Amino acid sequence: MITGTQRTQFRDRGYVVIPGVLSDEQITHGRRIVGRMLDREPPEGVGAHFLWPQLSDGHPLLELYRTTGIGALAGELIQDDLRLQEPDQAQVATTIPPWPHVPGGPHVDGITPTLEDGTPGTFTMLAGLWLTPHDEVDRGNLYIWPGTHLRFGTYLAERGADALANVAELDPGPYPDIPLGDPIQATGPAGSVLFAHYLLAHNIGGHFGSADDVRRETLYFRLRTETHRANWRAIVTDPLTEFRR
């Protein structure tokens, strides 16, 4: 269950980490799936490596999403009258050490390439399943700039939602020139789930460990409510409209 305090953190800071969602058996199963996928498409050297599998019935990552109850848990953050669609794609994100990388700034997802109709690929929230420990910083942790989802929403409310597609004004990143504040690195044990608002500033961090250390492994699912695409312009200019208090 997600508590009222955790919902408040999500609304105010744009993210929340829920520990203990995956069992040890589910973590092991998830890592086996990832291992088989990486055997077929192995990383080239150190650093960040991503796979983008399409999901349909029978895909092991969709089955993992279902059996771990991520959709129901995410549903506790959104308004009672809204429902989340099942994801149609996953991101397998690995970070292989040693990679002493510090991101220069944040980005927002779904700007390039756009969807087939030319609009940005917005979504409701990001769900990240941590298959390896994130207890220490600088181990492939996600960098987050807390509260930026609200400031980004104000930026779009002033300029109109279609400013989200103006890549020239969102360079570098892509992310707008708004006050960012100081970033934090998301931490927690393996089996945790990170939920992050779509507009939250974020970026991948480096893995400062040695070549003998375990690579970072995270599964990301980009979740949308059933009505999100029809209302995306209103949603990005009022970034808390889909979420419970």
Side-chain angles (χ1 to χ4, degrees), residues 132-177:
T132 50
H134 286 58
D135 300 285
E136 299 180 66
V137 298
D138 296 325
R139 291 297 185 271
N141 310 64
L142 190 70
Y143 274 66
I144 289 170
W145 282 259
T148 46
H149 64 307
L150 300 176
R151 297 192 285 280
F152 199 166
T154 299
Y155 173 96
L156 293 172
E158 292 171 348
R159 292 164 176 79
D162 289 302
L164 186 57
N166 192 339
V167 177
E169 290 188 6
L170 301 182
D171 183 56
Y175 208 77
D177 183 15

Side-chain angles (χ1 to χ4, degrees), residues 49-84:
H49 180 71
F50 306 120
L51 300 175
W52 299 90
Q54 296 295 316
L55 304 182
S56 58
D57 278 340
H59 195 290
L61 291 184
L62 183 57
E63 294 302 316
L64 183 66
Y65 171 86
R66 290 169 173 169
T67 58
T68 51
I70 303 305
L73 193 63
E76 296 182 23
L77 290 170
I78 64 171
Q79 295 283 358
D80 289 335
D81 59 342
L82 297 177
R83 297 290 179 270
L84 289 168

Side-chain angles (χ1 to χ4, degrees), residues 14-32:
Y15 77 98
V16 66
V17 175
I18 310 297
V21 178
L22 278 67
S23 67
D24 290 343
E25 292 77 10
Q26 289 169 332
I27 295 170
T28 299
H29 179 55
R31 295 204 67 195
R32 285 175 181 157

Side-chain angles (χ1 to χ4, degrees), residues 21-22 61 64-65 68 70 91 93 127-132 134 189-195 216-221:
V21 178
L22 278 67
L61 291 184
L64 183 66
Y65 171 86
T68 51
I70 303 305
Q91 179 185 5
L129 283 61
W130 292 352
L131 300 180
T132 50
H134 286 58
S192 301
V193 173
L194 164 79
F195 293 114
R216 187 284 305 262
E217 296 181 6
T218 300
L219 298 174
Y220 286 114
F221 299 96

Side-chain angles (χ1 to χ4, degrees), residues 199-221:
L199 293 177
L200 185 73
H202 66 282
N203 213 336
I204 187 171
H207 196 319
F208 286 61
S210 72
D212 295 327
D213 285 329
V214 175
R215 68 190 176 206
R216 187 284 305 262
E217 296 181 6
T218 300
L219 298 174
Y220 286 114
F221 299 96

